[in-house]
Amino acid sequence: MKLSKALYFGDFVATPLAILILAAIALAGRDHGTAGVWLLAFLSGLGAWTFIEYAVHRWLYHRVPFFEKFHDAHHADPDGLIGAPSFFAIIVLLTVFFAPLLLLGFVIASGFGSGVLLGYMLYMLVHHASHHVLPKPGGLLYDARMRHMAHHYHAKPGNYGVITAFWDRVFSTSIRARTRVPGR
Ligand SMILES: [Zn+2]
Ligand SMILES: [Zn+2]
């Protein structure tokens, strides 16, 4: 979906805000033990995000016609400000990865939900940068850009992961980046 600048970049503000609010409510006035539990849940959420990112991109965006329609718009106009409307993704992520975890207590739900949200935020940043920034060779961002450009321009489908190549390796969907990055 083509978005206005405010909606497209809104996530870059709304996501850290949501993480801060969740963390503050869970951790205000609590002891170190609680903070440790929160941190563990947070790291688990961040790790879980890398798989969510892979799974959603591979099995929803590139397979289910309803989602494909929206994602095709990004493939047709890779540099356009296209994505899920701001706040919508945050609400969906919290509904799926925060609300059910409340059964395990607010601290765990807050930590895990915040980790997932941070992963989402990193995905948004790395994906945006992959299309709009030309990093110097050798860095992580350069690798991410090369990987993602191969996803867009390689004849063979693959490289569904954006912030990490890990799940592409696990599921054998890694494709070699082109040696020359196409112009913006
Ligand atoms: Zn894609
Ligand atoms: Zn892209």
Side-chain angles (χ1 to χ4, degrees):
M1 189 179 296
K2 189 123 188 147
L3 300 173
S4 69
K5 269 193 176 161
L7 269 183
Y8 181 84
F9 291 107
D11 271 344
F12 294 101
V13 178
T15 316
L17 211 62
I19 294 170
L20 280 177
I21 292 169
L22 277 181
I25 297 172
L27 297 174
R30 303 291 191 99
D31 55 21
H32 283 95
T34 309
V37 171
W38 189 91
L39 192 65
L40 272 181
F42 175 78
L43 293 174
S44 311
L46 187 56
W49 166 263
T50 62
F51 181 69
I52 298 162
E53 175 192 282
Y54 179 89
V56 166
H57 191 187
R58 180 173 179 191
W59 291 305
L60 286 185
Y61 288 1
H62 281 279
R63 189 163 289 181
V64 179
F66 174 79
F67 294 101
E68 242 180 338
K69 200 173 60 199
F70 292 107
H71 190 63
D72 278 353
H74 169 58
H75 276 268
D77 177 14
D79 293 342
L81 301 183
I82 287 168
S86 181
F87 311 114
F88 175 73
I90 296 173
I91 291 167
V92 170
L93 289 175
L94 289 180
T95 306
V96 179
F97 298 102
F98 169 75
L101 290 168
L102 283 172
L103 286 171
L104 301 174
F106 191 84
V107 173
I108 291 180
S110 157
F112 195 87
S114 297
V116 169
L117 285 182
L118 182 73
Y120 168 69
M121 172 89 187
L122 288 174
Y123 155 75
M124 293 279 294
L125 283 169
V126 172
H127 184 244
H128 180 79
S130 294
H131 284 289
H132 296 271
V133 178
L134 284 170
K136 286 202 178 76
L140 283 178
L141 195 57
Y142 182 82
D143 291 347
R145 175 177 158 91
M146 293 296 277
R147 267 203 321 273
H148 192 62
M149 288 305 108
H151 170 70
H152 273 274
Y153 301 108
H154 207 290
K156 203 176 148 207
N159 287 9
Y160 297 101
V162 171
I163 63 173
T164 170
F166 178 78
W167 296 106
D168 282 296
R169 292 207 189 99
V170 171
F171 291 104
S172 303
T173 50
S174 278
I175 45 177
R176 279 256 304 258
R178 293 159 66 110
T179 44
R180 194 180 65 83
V181 177
R184 293 168 56 178

